[in-house]
Amino acid sequence: MSWLPTLKTATPEEGFELALKMSRMGVKYTQPDDAVRGKLRKVYENNADSLTQASQVVAINFQTVSAANNYWT
């Protein structure tokens, strides 16, 4: 089964978890080498700008999931 069978979630919290998963998978697909990702993490984990940009990616993915769920209305 696909890691992303649907964007539908029961709650906003589940939607946020899905947005986080989508964000992590985007990084994994972009840089498939675990060792390289580990080295790069040391560079960005203490950088406020990098962390802000990562948060922006999560927010964009959450917007996508929210829209797919009609904002849980």
Side-chain angles (χ1 to χ4, degrees):
M1 179 163 84
S2 166
W3 71 268
L4 184 61
T6 183
L7 292 176
K8 298 289 187 179
T9 63
T11 66
E13 185 174 353
E14 287 179 11
F16 187 74
E17 294 291 330
L18 178 57
L20 287 170
K21 173 78 173 181
M22 290 167 61
S23 301
R24 289 191 308 265
M25 292 302 288
V27 170
K28 187 175 181 178
Y29 275 81
T30 302
Q31 178 46 262
D33 189 307
D34 287 337
V36 172
R37 284 196 315 274
K39 288 179 186 176
L40 293 174
R41 180 172 289 127
K42 291 180 185 356
V43 174
Y44 71 77
E45 69 186 357
N46 294 308
N47 182 297
D49 290 336
S50 294
L51 295 172
T52 299
Q53 289 174 344
S55 294
Q56 288 173 331
V57 171
V58 174
I60 290 167
N61 285 333
F62 186 60
Q63 286 176 328
T64 300
V65 174
S66 297
N69 286 280
N70 199 30
Y71 305 96
W72 296 278
T73 56

